[in-house]
Amino acid sequence: MDEMEDELKCPVCGSFYREPIILPCSHNICLACARNILVQTPDAESPQSSRASGSGISDYDYLDLDKMSLYSEADSGYGSYGGFVSAPTTPCQKSPNGVRVFPPAVPQPASQHHLLPQPACLAPIPRNACLTCPQCHRSLILDERGLRGFPKNRVLEGVVDRYQQSKAAALKCQLCEKSPREATAMCEQCDVFYCEPCRLRCHPPRGPLAKHRLVPPAQGRISRRASPRKISTCTEHELENLSMYCVQCKTPVCYQCLEEGKHGTHEVKALGAMWKLHKGQLSQALNGLSDRATEAKEFLVQLRNTVQHIQENGVEFEACLVAQCDALIDALNRRKAQLLARVNKEHEHKLKVVRDQISHCTVKLRQTTGLMEYCLEVIKENDPSGFLQISDALIRRVLMTESQWGKGTLTPRMTSDFDLTLDSAPLLQTIHQLDFVQMKVPAAPMLQLEECCTENNSATLSWKQPPLSTIAVDGYILELDDGDGGPFREVYVGAETICTVDGLHYNSTYKSRVKAFNGSGVGQYSKTLIMQTSEVAWFTFDPASAHPDIIFSNDNLTVTCNSYDDRVAMGNTAFSRGVHYWEMTLDRYDNHPDPAFGVARGDVLKDVMLGKDDKAWAMYVDNNRSWFMHNNSHTNRTDGGISKGSTIGVLLDFTRGIIIFLINDEQQGPVAFEGLEGLYYPAISLNRNVQVTLHTGLPIPDFYTPGEVEPNGAMC
């Protein structure tokens, strides 16, 4: 219960709330304190349309509140805490932002008392009075009802009353004759407080008294003082009881509000149903916050254990250091003091970090526990309208407090280990150079999964050292397998913590891992990360490897030539495994040339037709027929040519080592080439009479199943 006390104190006076009212921003303030911090704005500068009361703002929109504060910035904090007790004609001070702050009243001379039209003990609230919330500094101009326009927080008032009663002095026995002893029980039927001896003597648990109910004294006092639940009345229509809840304005309303007021067109629900609904929402939010509080308690235990381990490890390390230094006699004594100072500094640093974290977490846990206890007390209230007036704000506070226990809050900032080892091997003549050395290898790096990704046939991996590791790292070694379950191989060695590996196989699953090294050796591997490359290949033509006469456009997807001779262009991606398919569309085809389509090695000749040398495997085709060509050998002439708009497909299957060509989705001739192994690039040769557009990322044609193909008839 002690943690809840801050929730029950007014931010202005610092005392327990007395007659608290609810401001539109959902904060609370004592009624008397609200009157004390009122300020007045100039009449000429305050349009009537900007006036509003606490009940006049239904959605508690801070932006709207700021618009109503025409005389200061929302966070200016101009609110005066001087008493607002002078008459409206009393001279006032004017702040730079145009707000007049009324000073405390000055007693009037007796001779002027007859001039006062009313008692001067407390003047009425002047027109254009403005109230600023002392917590969020949001301001609001009051209407003619003044502070009566703000609803009273009866739930908070009840919680404060119960809290103060629980903290009151112990009750005394009512039957002790001389010095009453402290009461231990109260009989609800007899309405008498008993100490233990008087209870046994005057109220034995037998006979007619056996049916009486005995309760603890504190509970008995509360039940004695308890009164029937107050009937909530409407602030706009004081004779009407609150019976409905306006969903749009989020406030209880009466029937007259629905018939005459602005709530007539709003959605309304039964007060009792919304009371139960909001209680359930608050309870549900408290469950999450309770879990965070439990985690925080366990975390504090962990931190306290860490303190103990640091103490134990520090003592053990210090004893070992002293023993080693004493063994080196006089030559080591001077150095020993320096080394001990370093150990103690590290010792104190670790303790300071952990203790600071304990202190921070303890304060946050105390605030969380206080809020939880306050919310639980609020839930016990039986006043639906009073509860609904504060439930939304409490739910937001609970959710906000829970979010503050976010990622990293419950993570230790310091380990209990001392990563230092004394090397006593040097000879006596090098004692003056004696120093700590790191004899430990680096810890296993942590892969940063949110930054690791694959794109096409490239993989990007990112890693970092564990947060609490203090061991120096000289570099890292990144390893990948072959994408087919084979052994790991090194793909990167260096000091960077991010690496992109290109040229991987498509539609393959790669395993990756990384380890760190320093002068003491190589550390452990990180966890293994499994990455999947793209199922289909996306690529373009490569300007860097093409013949200079090739002309590129359409983001390197379209090519033509400025020469009448055949020139070669290749794709920017090579294949060596899997099944791949791409197509090329003839955008222009003049004078019946014979372009060639296929695959090639990286060192293919670029100034002759594709297939003229032994580095290319191609099909060249004109408007009537096609041939397969490799190393200037022409085979498998097949009828069927191309024209403008035709589509040529290339299917490369490394599982069988073959290549198949298609024209307009029909297989052209038999299997063109077999026994293909190694690294191949998509390639084409063409002259100025042809323009081709490349299409990639295509699925394998439906007619083809890897390992099974029925070639069409072929003509030689």
Side-chain angles (χ1 to χ4, degrees), residues 696-708:
T696 64
L698 303 177
I700 305 301
D702 295 336
F703 79 90
Y704 183 77
T705 301
E708 297 181 5

Side-chain angles (χ1 to χ4, degrees), residues 266-334:
H266 295 177
E267 178 186 0
V268 295
K269 293 186 178 180
L271 193 66
M274 293 302 296
W275 175 37
K276 293 180 180 179
L277 175 62
H278 281 229
K279 274 198 174 185
Q281 292 176 350
L282 180 57
S283 299
Q284 186 176 1
L286 279 176
N287 289 336
L289 186 59
S290 177
D291 293 339
R292 291 294 184 181
T294 302
E295 294 176 8
K297 292 177 182 178
E298 296 173 353
F299 180 62
L300 284 174
V301 173
Q302 179 184 351
L303 291 179
R304 293 188 179 98
N305 291 336
T306 302
V307 171
Q308 182 179 356
H309 293 156
I310 292 176
Q311 295 280 16
E312 294 173 354
N313 293 343
V315 172
E316 180 182 353
F317 188 81
E318 185 175 328
C320 178
L321 178 62
V322 171
Q324 289 179 329
C325 290
D326 288 345
L328 298 177
I329 324 274
D330 296 337
L332 292 176
N333 286 336
R334 292 185 297 272

Side-chain angles (χ1 to χ4, degrees), residues 22-77:
I22 306 174
L23 301 181
C25 57
S26 299
H27 293 129
N28 299 284
I29 189 173
C30 297
L31 181 61
C33 295
R35 176 173 287 276
N36 287 340
I37 64 174
L38 285 173
V39 294
Q40 186 180 17
T41 54
D43 290 345
E45 302 172 5
S46 178
Q48 293 290 335
S49 59
S50 66
R51 297 181 185 175
S53 68
S55 61
I57 298 178
S58 60
D59 54 359
Y60 298 166
D61 191 336
Y62 288 155
L63 294 176
D64 292 340
L65 289 176
D66 284 344
K67 293 176 184 177
M68 285 187 283
S69 179
L70 304 177
Y71 314 104
S72 69
E73 293 295 329
D75 57 351
S76 61

